[in-house]
Amino acid sequence: MVSEERSAYEGRSRQRRDRIVELHRQGLKGYEIARELSVSPGLVSIRLKEARAAGVDLTPYAAGSEGG
């Protein structure tokens, strides 16, 4: 078995966190995000907590506004 390079893993993890944040800002619930990304609800919760701690804006988009 060959393990994945650390930089590749970290990049994929960062992309997943960004996607979790994006879906959260679109108004999806944690369990909906988990289902969409095929991850556990616990992972979604952890990533959102990490994002908050890092100062990421998690404010949901206003209805009808541009954003995605």
Side-chain angles (χ1 to χ4, degrees), residues 35-66:
R35 187 173 48 222
E36 175 78 18
L37 300 179
S38 299
V39 299
S40 73
L43 178 69
V44 172
S45 177
I46 289 168
R47 294 298 176 248
L48 289 173
K49 286 178 186 176
E50 290 172 349
R52 280 186 197 97
V56 175
D57 180 13
L58 297 177
T59 306
Y61 297 132
S65 72
E66 293 183 38

Side-chain angles (χ1 to χ4, degrees), residues 25-42:
R25 293 187 76 206
Q26 290 176 17
L28 273 69
K29 306 282 186 216
Y31 71 91
E32 295 169 323
I33 295 169
R35 187 173 48 222
E36 175 78 18
L37 300 179
S38 299
V39 299
S40 73

